[in-house]
Amino acid sequence: MGLTQTEAASLVRYRSYDKIFRIPEDVAACYGIDDSLYRVLKPHIRIARRYTTAPQGYRPGRMVAEPLPPEQFRIDTVSARYLEAIGALTRQQARTFVKWRDTHPICDMAELRKCYAVSDSVATALEPYIIFSEREPAAPRYPIELNDADSATLLLVNGIGEKTAGRIVRYRERLGGYWRTEQLTEVEGVTESNYEKISAQICCDSCRIRKIHINFAPAPELQRHPYLTPQLLRRILKTRQLKGGWSTPEAFNEDNRLKPGEAARLAPYLSFAPPGGDDDE
């Protein structure tokens, strides 16, 4: 049959301990017989009728006289005794299933049907009562890019909660994108110490920034940007109306009397070319 000497000895030793193979799944309980080997052997296993007959006597409390009516249960925590009590599986099948489940996550019916202890008809009968656990999310691939991540992806960062993730996305929309990861400290709820915790898990692609066409953008669009204060916005609109716009960042900064810090943080978001010009590429 292709078994190794150790595997064959394991089967014989099972019988030598006065144990009886009553169902094919009992073979899988033998030491050294793994799932893949059992699947190869299963079509060739035959159990004589006299051995499949259930024993006449049971110890008190070891058998349920009438099957319990099934109720909803979680497949990842259900006990072998409950599966036996509702009549879904025999005692040995239930134990085999629990042993198999502990090493094979079950999150849907397709994965349940892979268990050799559960037949298709039993799986179909149990389906209305089974509660599956949610599949574990895939491990995040660090670093996470701030300008591409949605709220759910940001939650994978250790140190970012649900509220903070929403605030990061909303602030990104107002900015037009992050050009430095340090800008997260401007988001409500992200402290300096918290930023130090998450900084190694994030990165920032400044090429994704949505720029403002400062010579053409309407007032409502300019007003939404968090770096354009009401006072600065009034100066920009007034000067633009008088001069018609600016061709360089230096001229813009000089006309609007920007401080070096203000000019530096605003510069990545400004475009001085017409919409669709080379500055947008």
Side-chain angles (χ1 to χ4, degrees):
M1 292 294 293
L3 271 68
T4 66
Q5 184 175 358
T6 301
E7 293 163 348
S10 178
L11 290 174
V12 174
R13 188 161 52 248
Y14 187 94
R15 296 195 311 242
S16 68
Y17 292 153
D18 295 328
K19 295 183 179 180
I20 297 176
F21 295 105
R22 298 195 180 279
I23 57 174
E25 287 81 358
D26 285 340
V27 174
C30 293
Y31 179 79
I33 308 297
D34 58 20
D35 294 348
S36 58
L37 179 57
Y38 170 73
R39 291 192 180 94
V40 173
L41 295 175
K42 185 177 179 180
H44 309 287
I45 296 174
R46 298 291 182 270
I47 307 293
R49 183 181 298 274
R50 65 179 180 277
Y51 295 118
T52 59
T53 304
Q56 298 299 313
Y58 289 89
R59 285 178 288 169
R62 298 293 291 176
M63 180 179 179
V64 178
E66 294 292 335
L68 296 176
E71 298 179 355
Q72 284 197 314
F73 60 88
R74 297 189 63 87
I75 196 67
D76 55 340
T77 58
V78 66
S79 66
R81 185 165 178 77
Y82 179 77
L83 292 173
E84 179 189 0
I86 63 176
L89 301 173
T90 66
R91 180 174 303 179
Q92 186 60 43
Q93 287 172 330
R95 290 176 178 174
T96 301
F97 166 76
V98 171
K99 177 183 175 182
W100 187 90
R101 178 196 64 195
D102 291 343
T103 57
H104 298 75
I106 302 176
C107 298
D108 54 41
M109 289 301 298
E111 292 178 344
L112 174 62
R113 293 178 190 276
K114 291 179 182 178
C115 179
Y116 51 81
V118 180
S119 66
D120 287 342
S121 59
V122 170
T124 302
L126 289 177
E127 185 172 5
Y129 306 101
I130 297 175
I131 300 174
F132 293 103
S133 59
E134 293 185 5
R135 198 178 301 277
E136 290 292 331
R141 295 183 178 179
Y142 294 124
I144 288 177
E145 207 285 306
L146 288 177
N147 289 326
D148 184 54
D150 56 17
S151 296
T153 304
L154 290 172
L155 287 175
L156 299 177
V157 176
N158 184 22
I160 295 181
E162 187 174 351
K163 290 184 179 180
T164 302
R167 290 168 181 160
I168 290 173
V169 171
R170 289 191 294 271
Y171 193 63
R172 181 180 68 195
E173 291 303 310
R174 291 182 61 201
L175 279 172
Y178 297 100
W179 72 283
R180 296 180 62 191
T181 60
E182 289 84 348
Q183 288 175 284
L184 284 190
T185 58
E186 302 168 13
V187 177
E188 181 186 358
V190 180
T191 62
E192 291 286 349
S193 59
N194 196 32
Y195 171 73
E196 291 179 4
K197 181 179 180 180
I198 67 179
S199 60
Q201 307 171 63
I202 58 175
C203 66
C204 187
D205 183 0
S206 59
C207 294
R208 294 175 176 268
I209 286 178
R210 185 178 66 253
K211 295 195 174 187
I212 300 172
H213 299 283
I214 195 64
N215 294 326
F216 302 94
E221 180 182 345
L222 297 173
Q223 191 175 14
R224 286 194 296 270
H225 201 282
Y227 292 169
L228 295 177
T229 63
Q231 183 180 6
L232 176 58
L233 181 57
R234 286 194 295 269
R235 289 203 305 266
I236 291 173
L237 294 176
K238 183 177 180 180
T239 307
R240 188 174 73 178
Q241 185 177 13
L242 293 173
K243 298 188 61 172
W246 305 270
S247 58
T248 65
E250 292 76 16
F252 174 82
N253 296 341
E254 183 178 351
D255 284 348
N256 293 286
R257 302 187 297 280
L258 295 183
K259 298 177 182 179
E262 292 178 325
R265 73 173 188 167
L266 190 57
Y269 296 98
L270 300 183
S271 170
F272 294 87
D278 293 340
D279 199 27
D280 294 334
E281 295 181 0

